[in-house]
Amino acid sequence: MSENAAGAVIVISSHVVRGSVGNRAAVFALETLGHPVWALPTIILPWHPGHGRSTRLTFAEADFDAAIDDLIRAPWIGEVRAVLSGYLGNAAQARSVARLIAALRQNNPELLYVCDPVMGDLGGLYVPEATAEAIRDDLIPLASLATPNRYELAWLSGAALDDNSAIMEAALALGPSRMLVTSAVPMMAGGTGNLYLSGRHALLAEHRVVENPPNGLGDLLAAVFLSRLLSGLEDEKALQLATASVFEVLARAVKRGSNELMLASDASSLSRPMAMVQMRRLVHPAQRRKK
């Protein structure tokens, strides 16, 4: 894939010194798949806090905003085809990212913005509520594609999401024209799924559950799916390949007993995944309403 065909991607998320979460996962995946990447950290940590004490290095709000100004004025800004945002350090960063998206779209209305609203899981929010609200109010409305997990979507929509019909209704109501929801309700025994909804498609990609997974799966999925879309693949094929890549990387890391995804060892799984993924076409909410 040539540089011009691939397009540059600005990735804005957390950075760890050791590990494969946040920017470390997304940048590696995108570069492996042929994309020049501009990487802006929102915070810096020695490693994921789930591994133990991890000192949080932060940026002053004004400094982060000034870096956004630099990006907007960059002479190479025409290279950028997409932006991916993930974990944010505070609410002000969400407003800064929103300003970047608006400025980029003035020059390129076709800019693809993927918002991965990294804010919580089954245990609830792990960012301040003000940050979650800023993601909901300032970034989600700008997103070409949002990639929440089911628990993040439940918080964003204010609805209980106990089945895939409820997930799809919440995804439609939230606003982005395309939604990829991880941790969807599986139809396969012992499985887990990624549910994708657009104006035309309602798709579920399932694979078996892998116990005790390392962190970084959502970061990786958002990046790989974005790359597949940028390459021009149809939505269904993009979802199948992205899901297969993440499942394969996950399964191999767990088999080795690693507490981190091993992206350098498993780069081939990103470009040429071999894992089997069960693809299902669901009844789109719009089709139900017509009956």
Side-chain angles (χ1 to χ4, degrees):
M1 185 182 295
S2 70
E3 180 170 322
N4 289 337
V9 180
I10 299 177
V11 181
I12 306 171
S13 190
S14 58
H15 176 85
V16 292
V17 177
R18 174 194 182 270
S20 298
V21 301
N23 268 9
R24 287 291 302 274
V27 171
F28 184 92
L30 286 162
E31 290 184 338
T32 296
L33 293 171
H35 302 271
V37 176
W38 302 13
L40 176 62
T42 53
I43 63 168
I44 299 175
L45 300 162
W47 41 75
H48 190 282
H51 295 322
R53 176 183 169 85
S54 185
T55 300
R56 181 184 176 105
L57 306 177
T58 60
F59 302 98
E61 293 177 8
D63 290 342
F64 187 87
D65 207 43
I68 291 291
D69 283 334
D70 292 344
L71 294 181
I72 291 171
R73 293 191 299 260
W76 319 279
I77 201 66
E79 299 171 0
V80 177
R81 287 186 61 198
V83 177
L84 167 61
S85 68
Y87 183 90
L88 300 179
N90 53 54
Q93 289 183 348
R95 294 187 285 271
S96 296
V97 173
R99 195 162 58 80
L100 173 66
I101 301 304
L104 291 175
R105 282 191 170 146
Q106 286 184 348
N107 295 321
N108 176 16
E110 302 302 314
L111 179 89
L112 184 60
Y113 169 46
V114 178
C115 178
D116 184 10
V118 182
M119 60 174 69
D121 53 26
L122 185 58
L125 290 180
Y126 47 65
V127 300
E129 189 163 335
T131 302
E133 290 172 349
I135 293 171
R136 179 193 65 198
D137 299 340
D138 297 318
L139 295 182
I140 290 292
L142 297 175
S144 315
L145 165 70
T147 62
N149 62 39
R150 180 171 22 139
Y151 314 108
E152 289 161 342
L153 179 59
W155 189 90
L156 290 165
S157 64
L161 305 180
D162 298 324
D163 57 42
N164 287 331
S165 293
I167 290 173
M168 288 189 285
E169 293 289 353
L172 279 180
L174 197 59
S177 60
R178 290 184 278 187
M179 296 280 291
L180 175 57
V181 184
T182 60
S183 307
V185 179
M187 300 176 68
M188 177 176 70
T192 186
N194 297 323
L195 194 158
Y196 176 75
L197 189 73
S198 69
R200 297 183 302 147
H201 297 295
L203 304 168
L204 183 65
E206 293 182 286
H207 59 77
R208 64 178 175 83
V209 169
V210 177
E211 299 296 337
N212 302 313
N215 294 296
L217 298 173
D219 306 305
L220 185 62
L221 180 66
V224 176
F225 189 59
L226 168 59
S227 175
R228 295 303 186 183
L229 292 178
L230 287 174
S231 72
L233 289 182
E234 291 293 327
D235 292 356
E236 185 168 359
K237 187 63 174 179
L239 177 62
Q240 179 186 11
L241 287 175
T243 301
S245 287
V246 174
F247 172 50
E248 198 167 298
V249 169
L250 164 62
R252 288 180 171 180
V254 170
K255 185 175 182 180
R256 297 187 188 104
S258 175
N259 64 359
E260 295 283 356
L261 300 177
M262 302 181 68
L263 299 180
S265 299
D266 296 324
S268 63
S269 296
L270 301 177
S271 52
R272 296 180 300 278
M274 303 297 291
M276 297 297 294
V277 172
Q278 175 70 50
M279 298 295 297
R280 302 180 191 270
R281 292 180 174 270
L282 306 181
V283 178
H284 196 286
Q287 293 175 300
R288 289 200 299 268
R289 293 187 186 115
K290 291 179 181 178
K291 294 180 180 180

